[in-house]
Each structure stands twice: as structure tokens, then as C-alpha cells.
Amino acid sequence: MPNHASRRALLAAAAMAAVTAAGAAGAASTASTAAPGTPGTPDDSRAPGGPPGRRPDRERLRALVSGLGLPELVGQLFVSRAYGHSATDPDPADAALNMEHFGVRTAAELVARYHLGGVVYFAWAHNTRDPHQIAALSNGLQRAAADSGAGIPLLLSVDQEHGAVARIGRPATLLPGAMALGAAGSAEGARRAARVAGTELAALGIRQDWAPVADVNVNPANPVIGVRSFGSDPAAVAALAAAQVRGYQGAGVAAAAKHFPGHGDTETDSHVGLPVMRHSRAQWEELDAPPFRAAVRAGVDVIMTAHIVFPALDPSGDPATLSRPIVTGLLREQLGFRGVVVTDALDMAGVRQKYGDDRVPVLALKAGCDLLLNAPDLGLAQRAVLAAVESGELSRGRVEESVLRVLELKARRGLFEDPYTSDAAVGAAVGTGGHLAAADAVAAGTTTLLANPRGLLPLDASAGPKLLVTGTDPVSPTGTTGPPTAVLARELTALGCRAQALPPERAVAAAPGHAAVLVCTYNVPEGESPQRTLVAGLVATGVPVVLVAVRNPYDPARLPACAAEVATYTWTDVEMRAAARVLTGASRPSGRLPVPVPGRYPLGHGLSY
């Protein structure tokens, strides 16, 4: 029978040590002792390649690790999804999903049975209804962890990149995504956005964000990265990725630079296939490596691997997640990274094509990964790792090495000290007026004016022009904003115009008599498409057409030339507000293309008034 009392004593000692400064190094901790949910301020004292934050006592944590039973030890390697809005009282449908996937009814039971190291939140798993519910879920999960097994706190995480990928919507603050920040070109703006995002996540009990994306998007056909990247210039991406690392971790939330060794020049989505990167080793050094080097220098807590084959770095044909030459050879030994290496989600096709779900987690650990994210069959994955240790394929020492890194991460982010949050913390941080104003301020520099040959823009809002807004209305990444055409029409009207939003099937007939038509486009494909037909039909009416590319900025190269063209990089409300202000001259456009638009605009292009 495990001695839980002695383990909790070690845990308490580790918690005390986790917030004690290393006096011999002369680095006093500035960790906050404020109310639960208020993030501490990390210090800057760290070994090269190591992350800043509270300074854990490695030996005390090592003692905690050595006292764990093998199932509890292996459990700390896994971060899993869980279904439901509540840790203990899910809706019946979510209880059924938990039973189907994990053999338990509730998320709390999941934590206890599998001794989990962490839980990742998803909207589709019904974890993210509203801020107070999320905070209650976080507290319930942490209580379940405290009351079971070794009592080690959980690492609660989410994909909240902002922009195209965001799991938590309003009333939380939504900020411009990476490529929009790349268009603004401000490291301070990127840091400020991450600081706001991290502060709100910490108030929700979430201490790990799977952001920022450090991939350099040099391929316009990339189906999975695109606007999730800061751009195509490695130096610019490096500066912004490092700034976001500092912003998140300055708010007490672990950042994760992804997807190592670089996913920016692929034409396959690793969710559905296995991409191949054709860069040479020299190209990797020049194009892909700089943002990860910068993130390591900034003290990033976590780096996430990519499910891609990179023959120049490892000719075996194994995806990077399972490649020891890439994870250990490049990331650990060449880049000097000492933090936690996490796999991208193990339910993605890119990592499942070559090996079975029982081999993937073992091979990832052998490659040098520490955390295993969202295994498709959690029970199978854990049994496989346990069997590998029992057979000697993996040593207990190798597993302890990873668990020690995970516990150090938890200690740095204050989880041993206090893993809980409160309704007061949520109210003080989430969706505050100051944060919403900060989001608008950051977004103000992102809208890029690409073309304005006739001087149509800015529209003279004082004359109350009659405007038609139409085009594609992609669903908000959070399901809580938009539709973008309606938001743009509303914002233009608030600025003095008379704007009406109409669906595409009615727009061409309704266009005559308007001062201009604004058409929102979204990832226009090559060749003929409904969006191309719509834009061509609007241009043929003779009414001036303003093209608003609301996601990838490559759309103008695939459409007839318009009277004016702008790029927003994101279609959430904050970017639509910024675009409306630019369109009417309430603010001047200052964004610059962070990627070239082949055949149309070079990198860095952008006009102003």
C-alpha cells in the first residue's frame, strides 16, 4: 500500500522549497503571495536554456519523484482531455463519453484512476462554457488531484493562441492572432497581448497555454499553420515569439513554443496526414531554427514537437515527435533546451501512420519527450509505457527524468504553492475594461492596406455613405463572435456610415446605388470558386469594391483586382473593429505584410493615408 502521508509530507516540503529563492545565487524570488488566481511575477535568474520563475528545489522534488509508485510516476507523463463542464457533475452525454473513452464517469474520476499529470481543455469537450464555470472546473480537478494518489497538482492547459485558434471566447478578452501581430511588427505589442492572455488564463486556473506558434510560414499553401504564424521572416518571428514567451510567463502561465523543428513549409495538415519538410540542414538553420533558439534564450518553459518527417534532420522516416536525433540531438544538445518537451496531440494522424497507438508513447519517451498530450486511448498508452518500464525497454530512471522536469515546471508556475483560483480572481481579470482596451490598442496596428489605386479609402464617414457588406462568414474560433460581415457593418455604422450586411446570393443584385461594396473573403483557393465568382460579379456592377481578406492575406492574388484591398488576418470582432476604423480613416493603416503575396505584394508591403 502506498504511503500517502509520507508522500504528502514530501509534497509539502517541495511546495515550500518551490517558492524559496536560491540565496547563494543572489536571486530573490518575487513570487506573488496574493489571492488565489493572481499570478506571481517570475524572476530572471536561470541557467542558460532554462526557464524563469519560482526556483524549485530539485533535490526535494527528486525525493518526491523517487517515492512514487510506477503507475503514479507514469501517470504524470500524460495530459489528457476530459469531457464535461464540471469535474464531478457532467451532463449525461459527457458522462457517457468519459465512460466510453476512459471507463469512468467524471473528470475527477479520470484524474484519480490514471494519476494524470495534466488535463487539456477543449470547447468540443464542453470544458469552456464561461469563465466562472472554467474556474470551478479547474478547482474541481485540482481537488481531485490533491485527494488521490500522490496529491500532485495538475497542469491545466488550453490551446488559446488567439486569432484562428482560441478555445475560450467572450466574455474573456480575444486578442489579435500571430500573423496580425506580425503585421503590426511590435514586440511590445506581442508581449502585451500575451501578458493579457496569460493573466486571464491564470485567473481561470489554467497555467499552461499551448502558444506561441514559432513556425516560419514560408509556404502560402500551408493548410495548418498560415495565420497562426507571425510571418515568413525568421528574425521577425523569433523576436515576436520570444516576446510572447515573456508575456505569458510574466503572467505566471507556461508558454509552449511549437512545432519543433518547424512546420512552416508543409503542404499537408498533420492532423490528417504525415507532412514532409524538404528543407536542407542549412535551410533549417537559417529559416526554421531562429524562433526556437530565441524562445530558448527567452526561457520558454515548454517546446512542443511536430508530427512531421524532416529527412535532412533524421533520414529514418520517423516523425519528429518520435525522433531522438531531433528531440535529443537538436533540441536538447544543440539548442540547449532544459525545459519540458511535449508531444503534439497523439490522436493526430501524422504520428499514428507508422506505428500503433501502443508504440507511439514509448517511442516518444525514447526520443526524449517528457509530456504525452491527448493519447487517443489513454489506458492503452499508459499500459504500454508501464510494460516498457517493466521489460527494461525504458528504465525507471528515464521516466523519473521526465517527471522531474514536469514537477519543476509545476513548481515554477506556483502550482505546489496554490493551484486554485476563485470567482474574485475571475472577476478581477477576465474580460476587464482594461484588457478589452488593450486588445483594441494592439489590433489598431495590424490592419494592412494593400491597394488603394483610386484613393477610395478612407471612406468619408461624415457624408454617411451607403455601404453594402457581404462575403464569407466563417464561424468564430470560439463560437462567440461575428459573423464578421455583420460586425463590420455594425462598426461602420457606428462610425457614421449607413452599412448593411447581405448574404452573397443577394449582394450582386443589391450592389447598384451603394457608394461601395465591402466583400469579406476567407482562404480563396486557386482557380474558380464561389468567392471568385462573387467578387467578379461585384466588380462587374461598376460599384467600387473593397476586398477585405479576413484570414490568409494571399486572397488578392487569386481574385480580380478591386478598388481597394485590405488584410485583417483574423475575423474576430477585435479585428473587424480595427478594420472599420481604418476603412473610415478613424485610424491610419500601419500594418505591413509579414508574408509576401506571390505575384502581387512583397514582404513588408503596406500603404497608409
Side-chain angles (χ1 to χ4, degrees), residues 369-388:
C369 296
D370 301 305
L371 272 179
L372 305 169
L373 180 61
N374 204 32
D377 186 330
L378 180 60
L380 175 67
Q382 286 200 352
R383 290 192 299 273
V385 174
L386 286 166

Side-chain angles (χ1 to χ4, degrees), residues 4 19 53 222 240 252 309 336 346-347 353 393 404 413 428 494 542 566:
H4 291 169
V19 295
N222 195 321
L240 296 174
V309 172
L346 296 183
D347 61 345
Q353 290 194 353
E393 182 180 8
L404 182 59
R413 296 300 148 214
V566 301

